[in-house]
Amino acid sequence: MSHAQTGVSALRVSGRTKLVGLLGLPVEHSLSPVMHNAAFAALGLDWVYVPLPVYPDHLGEAVRGLRAMGFAGANVTVPHKQAVLRHLDDIAEDALVIGAVNTIVVRDNDLYGDNTDASGFIAALVEAGFDPRGVYAAVLGAGGAARAVVHALANAGARQICVYNRHVQRAQDLCRDMARFHTDVRFEAHSLDAVCNIDEDTSLLVNATSLGMWPDTESSPWPTDLPIPAHLTVCDLVYRPLETLFLTQARAVGAETIGGLGMLVYQGAAAFEMWTGHSAPVHVMRQACREFLAIADRAEANVTEQQWVS
Ligand code: NDP
């Protein structure tokens, strides 16, 4: 991996450099190293963010290793966001309700876990001018990201949240878990096949499935032969590509759209602030992600072209 890909200059790293990392598998395609290293550089902080590929059997050792090796913290990604909870000393209430941790902070030798996906999602909505208070929302998906989105919307004052998922049992489990905590919100679970029947009072439609994510860019959670209702604000958590098929379908009917990059940047910004105590340079982080995605897309296009040539 080149310096341009990680955002790290080898010359800058010393024995005083503070370390944070990303625990996941795989971690090669993550934007987080680029985003955080650009932010450290912009603020002149002697910090480095490193990708740490960790197999599930070694997760406990890796998490304890953060403390042993003097790391300031870490992010956690697929497949460890749920499993990591049992290796931590203290966990934020939001992360407990969601059932997933994406940020670890080493505080006074204790391992503290939090989930910044939820606050990152709301920050991206608000930045786009969408007020979630009192809304009826439809969330597609029932995985880790969907759980963060549903909890965040309920916390932000949503009145009704309908969850649509391929495996409907998972949507039912999510709704049951959230209903225990958010007693003033109405939850409904449906099959993803029923997505076209969304309540007409719904104003926000969120894709929290992985449909449309590179390299499967021709798929969408919404049927391609049916128009998305134009009055909806349509949000996609997928950020690669930046313009997914789902967002293209929404734009085609004139619906408002919000892409996944905002959430990615704001969840990273929240983690950055927990580790460093500094305000995150959000614009720098967003620009670093955009540049990385443009380079990755060009590299991918070259590979495809070479395959055609050979
Ligand atoms: P999970 O693996 O936990 O969940 C995946 C979800 O996608 C499940 O609801 C699953 O349904 C659904 N799904 C997968 N394949 C299909 C398919 N072929 N047809 C229908 N549904 C399908 O992943 P996450 O929740 O962690 O992530 C979901 C997406 O959100 C990813 O693309 C991820 O990159 C993105 N994300 C973006 C973030 C951001 O900051 N912008 C932050 C976190 C995630 P089922 O339960 O039926 O299998």
Side-chain angles (χ1 to χ4, degrees), residues 78 81-82 102 117 140-147 164-168 170-171 192 207-213 216 219 221 236-239 259-265 267:
V78 176
K81 281 186 180 182
Q82 286 90 31
N102 78 335
D117 282 338
L140 315 183
R147 294 183 72 91
Y164 296 79
N165 199 47
R166 176 177 57 177
H167 295 102
V168 71
R170 221 174 160 196
L192 189 60
N207 176 33
T209 75
S210 45
L211 287 168
M213 182 77 172
D216 189 18
S219 62
D236 202 337
L237 264 50
V238 172
Y239 50 82
L261 188 59
M263 175 177 171
L264 181 78
V265 169
Q267 63 77 29

Tab-separated table of all heavy atoms in Angstrom, residues 78 81-82 102 117 140-147 164-168 170-171 192 207-213 216 219 221 236-239 259-265 267, ligand 1:
chain	number	residue	atom	x	y	z
A	78	VAL	N	-16.510	-4.549	10.122
A	78	VAL	CA	-16.938	-5.918	9.804
A	78	VAL	C	-15.740	-6.856	9.895
A	78	VAL	O	-14.673	-6.506	9.399
A	78	VAL	CB	-17.509	-5.942	8.364
A	78	VAL	CG1	-17.888	-7.356	7.951
A	78	VAL	CG2	-18.709	-5.009	8.266
A	81	LYS	N	-17.922	-5.845	14.868
A	81	LYS	CA	-18.638	-4.778	15.585
A	81	LYS	C	-19.486	-5.298	16.750
A	81	LYS	O	-19.662	-4.602	17.740
A	81	LYS	CB	-19.537	-3.995	14.621
A	81	LYS	CG	-18.807	-2.971	13.766
A	81	LYS	CD	-19.827	-2.163	12.962
A	81	LYS	CE	-19.174	-1.118	12.093
A	81	LYS	NZ	-20.156	-0.318	11.369
A	82	GLN	N	-20.050	-6.494	16.597
A	82	GLN	CA	-20.855	-7.059	17.698
A	82	GLN	C	-19.959	-7.835	18.671
A	82	GLN	O	-20.058	-7.676	19.883
A	82	GLN	CB	-21.935	-8.016	17.163
A	82	GLN	CG	-23.111	-7.328	16.483
A	82	GLN	CD	-22.879	-7.133	14.985
A	82	GLN	OE1	-22.200	-7.922	14.361
A	82	GLN	NE2	-23.440	-6.066	14.419
A	102	ASN	N	-18.319	0.686	17.190
A	102	ASN	CA	-17.422	0.966	16.054
A	102	ASN	C	-16.232	1.827	16.457
A	102	ASN	O	-15.352	2.087	15.643
A	102	ASN	CB	-18.178	1.614	14.881
A	102	ASN	CG	-18.439	3.089	15.107
A	102	ASN	OD1	-18.487	3.542	16.258
A	102	ASN	ND2	-18.604	3.841	14.040
A	117	ASP	N	-21.770	5.565	14.498
A	117	ASP	CA	-22.591	5.489	13.273
A	117	ASP	C	-23.911	6.244	13.475
A	117	ASP	O	-24.415	6.895	12.554
A	117	ASP	CB	-22.904	4.028	12.924
A	117	ASP	CG	-21.721	3.329	12.265
A	117	ASP	OD1	-20.847	4.017	11.705
A	117	ASP	OD2	-21.669	2.082	12.314
A	140	LEU	N	-34.523	0.340	5.104
A	140	LEU	CA	-34.333	-0.915	4.377
A	140	LEU	C	-33.066	-1.571	4.910
A	140	LEU	O	-31.984	-0.963	4.858
A	140	LEU	CB	-34.220	-0.649	2.873
A	140	LEU	CG	-35.250	0.342	2.310
A	140	LEU	CD1	-35.086	0.464	0.796
A	140	LEU	CD2	-36.665	-0.067	2.684
A	141	GLY	N	-33.208	-2.800	5.442
A	141	GLY	CA	-32.066	-3.481	6.041
A	141	GLY	C	-32.265	-3.649	7.536
A	141	GLY	O	-33.013	-2.868	8.161
A	142	ALA	N	-31.617	-4.674	8.095
A	142	ALA	CA	-31.730	-4.915	9.543
A	142	ALA	C	-30.392	-5.368	10.114
A	142	ALA	O	-30.345	-6.044	11.145
A	142	ALA	CB	-32.818	-5.948	9.813
A	143	GLY	N	-29.300	-5.021	9.449
A	143	GLY	CA	-27.966	-5.357	9.932
A	143	GLY	C	-27.470	-4.309	10.918
A	143	GLY	O	-28.257	-3.511	11.456
A	144	GLY	N	-26.156	-4.296	11.141
A	144	GLY	CA	-25.567	-3.390	12.116
A	144	GLY	C	-25.832	-1.929	11.805
A	144	GLY	O	-26.182	-1.148	12.710
A	145	ALA	N	-25.695	-1.540	10.538
A	145	ALA	CA	-25.897	-0.137	10.174
A	145	ALA	C	-27.363	0.250	10.358
A	145	ALA	O	-27.670	1.348	10.849
A	145	ALA	CB	-25.450	0.095	8.734
A	146	ALA	N	-28.270	-0.643	9.986
A	146	ALA	CA	-29.702	-0.358	10.146
A	146	ALA	C	-30.050	-0.169	11.626
A	146	ALA	O	-30.835	0.720	11.984
A	146	ALA	CB	-30.532	-1.494	9.542
A	147	ARG	N	-29.454	-0.980	12.486
A	147	ARG	CA	-29.732	-0.850	13.922
A	147	ARG	C	-29.300	0.535	14.423
A	147	ARG	O	-30.017	1.170	15.206
A	147	ARG	CB	-29.019	-1.950	14.718
A	147	ARG	CG	-29.541	-3.350	14.438
A	147	ARG	CD	-28.848	-4.391	15.310
A	147	ARG	NE	-29.282	-4.284	16.688
A	147	ARG	CZ	-30.312	-4.966	17.210
A	147	ARG	NH1	-31.003	-5.801	16.470
A	147	ARG	NH2	-30.633	-4.797	18.481
A	164	TYR	N	-37.723	-2.808	6.697
A	164	TYR	CA	-37.941	-3.794	5.631
A	164	TYR	C	-36.656	-4.585	5.450
A	164	TYR	O	-35.594	-3.996	5.232
A	164	TYR	CB	-38.281	-3.093	4.305
A	164	TYR	CG	-39.576	-2.323	4.346
A	164	TYR	CD1	-39.633	-1.069	4.945
A	164	TYR	CD2	-40.731	-2.849	3.788
A	164	TYR	CE1	-40.823	-0.367	4.997
A	164	TYR	CE2	-41.930	-2.145	3.835
A	164	TYR	CZ	-41.969	-0.910	4.434
A	164	TYR	OH	-43.140	-0.207	4.492
A	165	ASN	N	-36.751	-5.922	5.515
A	165	ASN	CA	-35.529	-6.708	5.351
A	165	ASN	C	-35.813	-7.996	4.599
A	165	ASN	O	-36.913	-8.545	4.656
A	165	ASN	CB	-34.918	-7.042	6.722
A	165	ASN	CG	-33.469	-7.429	6.615
A	165	ASN	OD1	-32.694	-6.743	5.944
A	165	ASN	ND2	-33.067	-8.534	7.230
A	166	ARG	N	-34.783	-8.457	3.867
A	166	ARG	CA	-34.905	-9.723	3.118
A	166	ARG	C	-35.325	-10.852	4.065
A	166	ARG	O	-36.314	-11.524	3.840
A	166	ARG	CB	-33.559	-10.040	2.453
A	166	ARG	CG	-33.529	-11.359	1.736
A	166	ARG	CD	-32.208	-11.555	1.051
A	166	ARG	NE	-31.057	-11.478	1.967
A	166	ARG	CZ	-29.805	-11.672	1.595
A	166	ARG	NH1	-29.519	-11.936	0.333
A	166	ARG	NH2	-28.826	-11.592	2.474
A	167	HIS	N	-34.577	-11.030	5.145
A	167	HIS	CA	-34.964	-12.006	6.170
A	167	HIS	C	-35.804	-11.251	7.206
A	167	HIS	O	-35.258	-10.531	8.046
A	167	HIS	CB	-33.733	-12.641	6.817
A	167	HIS	CG	-32.930	-13.471	5.867
A	167	HIS	ND1	-31.763	-13.033	5.293
A	167	HIS	CD2	-33.162	-14.697	5.358
A	167	HIS	CE1	-31.288	-13.970	4.485
A	167	HIS	NE2	-32.126	-14.988	4.498
A	168	VAL	N	-37.128	-11.441	7.120
A	168	VAL	CA	-38.032	-10.587	7.899
A	168	VAL	C	-37.870	-10.811	9.403
A	168	VAL	O	-38.082	-9.888	10.204
A	168	VAL	CB	-39.493	-10.774	7.424
A	168	VAL	CG1	-40.038	-12.119	7.838
A	168	VAL	CG2	-40.369	-9.638	7.884
A	170	ARG	N	-35.212	-10.957	11.030
A	170	ARG	CA	-34.188	-10.023	11.528
A	170	ARG	C	-34.794	-8.621	11.742
A	170	ARG	O	-34.453	-7.918	12.689
A	170	ARG	CB	-33.054	-9.966	10.503
A	170	ARG	CG	-31.695	-9.955	11.121
A	170	ARG	CD	-30.612	-10.040	10.086
A	170	ARG	NE	-29.363	-9.562	10.635
A	170	ARG	CZ	-28.314	-9.221	9.908
A	170	ARG	NH1	-28.363	-9.307	8.586
A	170	ARG	NH2	-27.207	-8.806	10.481
A	171	ALA	N	-35.709	-8.241	10.846
A	171	ALA	CA	-36.401	-6.946	11.007
A	171	ALA	C	-37.281	-6.983	12.255
A	171	ALA	O	-37.361	-5.996	13.009
A	171	ALA	CB	-37.239	-6.648	9.768
A	192	LEU	N	-38.584	-7.138	2.691
A	192	LEU	CA	-38.080	-6.167	1.703
A	192	LEU	C	-38.935	-6.192	0.427
A	192	LEU	O	-39.043	-5.181	-0.271
A	192	LEU	CB	-36.611	-6.479	1.387
A	192	LEU	CG	-35.848	-5.462	0.542
A	192	LEU	CD1	-35.800	-4.088	1.200
A	192	LEU	CD2	-34.429	-5.949	0.251
A	207	ASN	N	-31.679	3.489	2.666
A	207	ASN	CA	-31.107	2.178	2.340
A	207	ASN	C	-29.964	1.870	3.291
A	207	ASN	O	-28.900	2.484	3.221
A	207	ASN	CB	-30.581	2.124	0.902
A	207	ASN	CG	-29.907	0.783	0.632
A	207	ASN	OD1	-30.319	-0.254	1.175
A	207	ASN	ND2	-28.865	0.792	-0.182
A	208	ALA	N	-30.193	0.905	4.181
A	208	ALA	CA	-29.125	0.439	5.077
A	208	ALA	C	-28.812	-1.025	4.771
A	208	ALA	O	-28.280	-1.737	5.632
A	208	ALA	CB	-29.531	0.627	6.530
A	209	THR	N	-29.172	-1.490	3.565
A	209	THR	CA	-28.684	-2.796	3.104
A	209	THR	C	-27.363	-2.551	2.377
A	209	THR	O	-26.988	-1.402	2.112
A	209	THR	CB	-29.659	-3.487	2.120
A	209	THR	OG1	-29.560	-2.849	0.838
A	209	THR	CG2	-31.096	-3.437	2.607
A	210	SER	N	-26.693	-3.629	2.018
A	210	SER	CA	-25.456	-3.458	1.243
A	210	SER	C	-25.729	-3.528	-0.264
A	210	SER	O	-24.787	-3.527	-1.054
A	210	SER	CB	-24.428	-4.503	1.672
A	210	SER	OG	-25.024	-5.765	1.770
A	211	LEU	N	-27.008	-3.536	-0.659
A	211	LEU	CA	-27.334	-3.579	-2.089
A	211	LEU	C	-26.880	-2.299	-2.782
A	211	LEU	O	-27.188	-1.194	-2.322
A	211	LEU	CB	-28.844	-3.771	-2.274
A	211	LEU	CG	-29.358	-5.182	-1.955
A	211	LEU	CD1	-30.882	-5.195	-1.885
A	211	LEU	CD2	-28.875	-6.163	-3.013
A	212	GLY	N	-26.157	-2.449	-3.882
A	212	GLY	CA	-25.659	-1.295	-4.625
A	212	GLY	C	-24.208	-0.989	-4.340
A	212	GLY	O	-23.569	-0.202	-5.036
A	213	MET	N	-23.667	-1.630	-3.289
A	213	MET	CA	-22.274	-1.405	-2.885
A	213	MET	C	-21.324	-2.022	-3.916
A	213	MET	O	-21.568	-3.146	-4.366
A	213	MET	CB	-22.058	-2.061	-1.514
A	213	MET	CG	-20.690	-1.877	-0.927
A	213	MET	SD	-20.535	-0.225	-0.254
A	213	MET	CE	-18.953	-0.349	0.559
A	216	ASP	N	-21.031	-4.607	-6.646
A	216	ASP	CA	-22.363	-5.013	-7.103
A	216	ASP	C	-23.210	-3.766	-7.396
A	216	ASP	O	-24.291	-3.581	-6.842
A	216	ASP	CB	-22.994	-5.863	-5.983
A	216	ASP	CG	-24.279	-6.513	-6.417
A	216	ASP	OD1	-24.519	-6.612	-7.631
A	216	ASP	OD2	-25.058	-6.895	-5.519
A	219	SER	N	-27.206	-3.362	-8.490
A	219	SER	CA	-28.346	-3.768	-7.664
A	219	SER	C	-28.867	-2.585	-6.844
A	219	SER	O	-28.152	-1.620	-6.572
A	219	SER	CB	-27.971	-4.939	-6.757
A	219	SER	OG	-26.954	-4.544	-5.882
A	221	PRO	N	-32.137	-1.712	-3.650
A	221	PRO	CA	-33.177	-2.280	-2.783
A	221	PRO	C	-34.589	-1.948	-3.275
A	221	PRO	O	-35.562	-2.487	-2.757
A	221	PRO	CB	-32.899	-1.616	-1.432
A	221	PRO	CG	-32.251	-0.318	-1.790
A	221	PRO	CD	-31.448	-0.579	-3.023
A	236	ASP	N	-28.993	6.980	1.067
A	236	ASP	CA	-28.300	5.706	0.873
A	236	ASP	C	-27.062	5.694	1.753
A	236	ASP	O	-26.246	6.626	1.693
A	236	ASP	CB	-27.896	5.550	-0.608
A	236	ASP	CG	-27.686	4.082	-0.971
A	236	ASP	OD1	-27.428	3.284	-0.055
A	236	ASP	OD2	-27.775	3.759	-2.163
A	237	LEU	N	-26.888	4.655	2.570
A	237	LEU	CA	-25.688	4.561	3.401
A	237	LEU	C	-24.478	4.114	2.585
A	237	LEU	O	-23.331	4.335	2.974
A	237	LEU	CB	-25.910	3.556	4.539
A	237	LEU	CG	-26.355	4.140	5.880
A	237	LEU	CD1	-27.526	5.074	5.737
A	237	LEU	CD2	-26.645	3.047	6.876
A	238	VAL	N	-24.744	3.467	1.456
A	238	VAL	CA	-23.647	3.024	0.592
A	238	VAL	C	-22.918	4.267	0.060
A	238	VAL	O	-23.556	5.231	-0.353
A	238	VAL	CB	-24.199	2.180	-0.580
A	238	VAL	CG1	-23.112	1.875	-1.588
A	238	VAL	CG2	-24.816	0.887	-0.039
A	239	TYR	N	-21.574	4.253	0.113
A	239	TYR	CA	-20.799	5.412	-0.341
A	239	TYR	C	-19.863	5.072	-1.501
A	239	TYR	O	-19.171	5.935	-2.014
A	239	TYR	CB	-19.996	6.029	0.812
A	239	TYR	CG	-19.198	5.014	1.584
A	239	TYR	CD1	-17.963	4.588	1.128
A	239	TYR	CD2	-19.695	4.453	2.753
A	239	TYR	CE1	-17.245	3.637	1.819
A	239	TYR	CE2	-18.986	3.507	3.449
A	239	TYR	CZ	-17.767	3.104	2.975
A	239	TYR	OH	-17.055	2.145	3.646
A	259	GLY	N	-26.385	11.038	-0.007
A	259	GLY	CA	-25.479	9.897	-0.203
A	259	GLY	C	-24.817	9.461	1.101
A	259	GLY	O	-24.974	10.108	2.142
A	260	GLY	N	-24.046	8.375	1.042
A	260	GLY	CA	-23.469	7.774	2.246
A	260	GLY	C	-22.191	8.432	2.748
A	260	GLY	O	-21.748	8.157	3.866
A	261	LEU	N	-21.600	9.318	1.940
A	261	LEU	CA	-20.308	9.888	2.329
A	261	LEU	C	-20.418	10.767	3.585
A	261	LEU	O	-19.520	10.769	4.426
A	261	LEU	CB	-19.719	10.693	1.156
A	261	LEU	CG	-18.299	11.188	1.349
A	261	LEU	CD1	-17.338	10.035	1.590
A	261	LEU	CD2	-17.848	12.017	0.145
A	262	GLY	N	-21.525	11.499	3.698
A	262	GLY	CA	-21.702	12.380	4.863
A	262	GLY	C	-21.669	11.587	6.169
A	262	GLY	O	-20.966	11.951	7.108
A	263	MET	N	-22.401	10.467	6.201
A	263	MET	CA	-22.413	9.647	7.425
A	263	MET	C	-21.016	9.108	7.711
A	263	MET	O	-20.556	9.100	8.860
A	263	MET	CB	-23.403	8.502	7.267
A	263	MET	CG	-23.404	7.536	8.434
A	263	MET	SD	-24.651	6.256	8.216
A	263	MET	CE	-24.266	5.143	9.559
A	264	LEU	N	-20.332	8.648	6.654
A	264	LEU	CA	-18.989	8.102	6.828
A	264	LEU	C	-18.064	9.145	7.469
A	264	LEU	O	-17.327	8.854	8.417
A	264	LEU	CB	-18.425	7.666	5.471
A	264	LEU	CG	-17.039	7.056	5.555
A	264	LEU	CD1	-17.108	5.625	6.045
A	264	LEU	CD2	-16.330	7.126	4.214
A	265	VAL	N	-18.140	10.359	6.948
A	265	VAL	CA	-17.255	11.421	7.438
A	265	VAL	C	-17.629	11.809	8.874
A	265	VAL	O	-16.757	11.957	9.743
A	265	VAL	CB	-17.320	12.641	6.491
A	265	VAL	CG1	-16.632	13.846	7.111
A	265	VAL	CG2	-16.693	12.296	5.141
A	267	GLN	N	-19.267	9.995	11.186
A	267	GLN	CA	-18.955	8.973	12.202
A	267	GLN	C	-17.458	8.980	12.492
A	267	GLN	O	-17.028	8.777	13.627
A	267	GLN	CB	-19.476	7.571	11.815
A	267	GLN	CG	-18.899	6.923	10.557
A	267	GLN	CD	-17.500	6.328	10.746
A	267	GLN	OE1	-17.147	5.911	11.832
A	267	GLN	NE2	-16.714	6.335	9.690
B	1	NDP	P1	-24.656	-6.134	7.603
B	1	NDP	O1	-23.915	-7.254	6.950
B	1	NDP	O2	-24.781	-6.097	9.076
B	1	NDP	O3	-26.152	-6.082	6.998
B	1	NDP	C1	-26.366	-6.212	5.610
B	1	NDP	C2	-27.818	-5.880	5.285
B	1	NDP	O4	-27.967	-5.921	3.859
B	1	NDP	C3	-28.826	-6.859	5.876
B	1	NDP	O5	-30.019	-6.208	6.150
B	1	NDP	C4	-28.995	-7.853	4.698
B	1	NDP	O6	-30.240	-8.521	4.722
B	1	NDP	C5	-28.977	-6.894	3.530
B	1	NDP	N1	-28.594	-7.583	2.283
B	1	NDP	C6	-27.363	-8.027	1.931
B	1	NDP	N2	-27.407	-8.613	0.720
B	1	NDP	C7	-28.702	-8.538	0.305
B	1	NDP	C8	-29.383	-8.972	-0.859
B	1	NDP	N3	-28.738	-9.599	-1.851
B	1	NDP	N4	-30.701	-8.727	-0.974
B	1	NDP	C9	-31.373	-8.085	0.027
B	1	NDP	N5	-30.776	-7.648	1.167
B	1	NDP	C10	-29.466	-7.879	1.304
B	1	NDP	O7	-23.968	-4.802	7.041
B	1	NDP	P2	-24.009	-3.342	7.686
B	1	NDP	O8	-25.341	-3.146	8.284
B	1	NDP	O9	-22.809	-3.143	8.524
B	1	NDP	O10	-23.813	-2.410	6.386
B	1	NDP	C11	-24.844	-2.218	5.434
B	1	NDP	C12	-24.389	-1.202	4.399
B	1	NDP	O11	-24.235	0.074	5.020
B	1	NDP	C13	-23.019	-1.543	3.758
B	1	NDP	O12	-23.082	-1.252	2.373
B	1	NDP	C14	-22.067	-0.606	4.456
B	1	NDP	O13	-20.955	-0.260	3.648
B	1	NDP	C15	-22.959	0.606	4.694
B	1	NDP	N6	-22.495	1.421	5.822
B	1	NDP	C16	-22.231	2.734	5.576
B	1	NDP	C17	-21.818	3.536	6.597
B	1	NDP	C18	-21.532	4.970	6.314
B	1	NDP	O14	-20.885	5.609	7.159
B	1	NDP	N7	-21.983	5.522	5.207
B	1	NDP	C19	-21.628	3.032	7.980
B	1	NDP	C20	-21.952	1.632	8.120
B	1	NDP	C21	-22.356	0.871	7.059
B	1	NDP	P3	-30.409	-9.936	5.489
B	1	NDP	O15	-30.483	-9.611	6.950
B	1	NDP	O16	-31.695	-10.461	4.960
B	1	NDP	O17	-29.215	-10.778	5.130
